[in-house]
Amino acid sequence: AAWSTSLAIPGTHPRIWYGNAARLAQARSYFTSVPFTPASGDLTELNAQRALRGLLNNNNADCDAAAAYLATWTPQGSVRDALRQQGEGLLLIYDWCRARLTPTQVTTLVARWNGYMDIENADTFANQGSEANNYFWGRVRNNLMWGIARFGDNARAQQFIDNSLDLRFGNWFARWTTDFGRGGTFVEGSDYGVVMLAY
């Protein structure tokens, strides 16, 4: 690759948000005094909450339920929308409950998610030239999270990290900020503009 962003990624899971042992211990301690019950009308969000509770409480049943959901999840309707809207929750489940996935499930998920990233990155919509678009930022997030989640055991993990941080953020977005994006205002307004910041 022309670029190579170097990140300090732990060799074990969890990596995303809780890759630092002290931070994970702090979150687990907080959970003992402020527990929560997963509750959401959205199945991906519900299972991401299960994954978090499973991680914080060392509860295999929660992670097993979340991992089973992830293993059978496929985009409903538009692939673009499904990955933009649900990618974060799904990739958190993968990272936080990685130990509860079978080798066969991991093999299937790696092929599936590599394919999803390839579809997104080759899309003629919301890539270079769409730096003020919420789909663009969903792809920044998904490429980075998938690269981190699979780093060390997916030959393509660094490619996804580079796509997110070097190509999209460091190259395309940086160029956009000096021209169309001058002033820092997200042009999609108070609805999708805020969504992009969340991504």
Side-chain angles (χ1 to χ4, degrees), residues 102-119:
T102 68
T104 300
Q105 287 174 325
V106 170
T107 298
T108 300
L109 287 166
V110 168
R112 185 179 295 161
W113 278 87
N114 282 354
Y116 290 154
M117 295 300 99
D118 288 341
I119 290 168

Side-chain angles (χ1 to χ4, degrees), residues 149-190:
R150 293 299 301 157
F151 193 80
D153 54 4
N154 181 348
R156 298 185 61 202
Q158 185 66 52
Q159 172 190 341
F160 297 122
I161 292 169
D162 290 347
N163 182 285
S164 174
L165 297 181
D166 289 330
L167 181 62
R168 291 177 183 278
F169 188 72
N171 187 333
W172 296 348
F173 179 69
R175 212 170 28 230
W176 177 84
T177 61
T178 64
D179 184 13
F180 186 73
R182 291 179 70 181
T185 301
F186 285 90
V187 296
E188 291 199 342
S190 61

Side-chain angles (χ1 to χ4, degrees), residues 16-167:
I16 302 170
W17 298 122
Y18 301 107
N20 176 292
R23 181 179 298 147
L24 179 58
Q26 182 181 22
R28 285 178 166 160
S29 175
Y30 182 78
F31 179 79
T32 62
S33 59
V34 188
F36 67 89
T37 300
S40 175
D42 176 85
L43 287 177
T44 297
E45 177 60 28
L46 174 67
N47 282 285
Q49 291 173 17
R50 284 181 178 146
L52 178 58
R53 186 172 68 173
L55 172 67
L56 297 180
N57 203 28
N58 289 311
N59 183 326
N60 286 344
D62 276 333
C63 265
D64 287 345
Y69 174 78
L70 173 64
T72 60
W73 182 89
T74 56
Q76 302 299 309
S78 165
V79 172
R80 289 175 182 158
D81 285 329
L83 295 177
R84 175 180 58 87
Q85 294 166 351
Q86 299 176 61
E88 180 176 20
L90 295 163
L91 295 173
L92 288 174
I93 293 168
Y94 183 92
D95 181 51
W96 292 345
C97 296
R98 171 64 181 80
R100 304 306 297 172
L101 292 163
T102 68
T104 300
Q105 287 174 325
V106 170
T107 298
T108 300
L109 287 166
V110 168
R112 185 179 295 161
W113 278 87
N114 282 354
Y116 290 154
M117 295 300 99
D118 288 341
I119 290 168
E120 291 282 90
N121 293 335
D123 199 346
T124 57
F125 171 75
N127 280 317
Q128 187 173 17
S130 297
E131 292 80 6
N133 181 278
N134 56 313
Y135 289 89
F136 178 93
W137 287 99
R139 292 171 185 171
V140 171
R141 177 204 62 207
N142 289 346
N143 273 282
L144 179 61
M145 290 179 69
W146 182 235
I148 290 171
R150 293 299 301 157
F151 193 80
D153 54 4
N154 181 348
R156 298 185 61 202
Q158 185 66 52
Q159 172 190 341
F160 297 122
I161 292 169
D162 290 347
N163 182 285
S164 174
L165 297 181
D166 289 330
L167 181 62

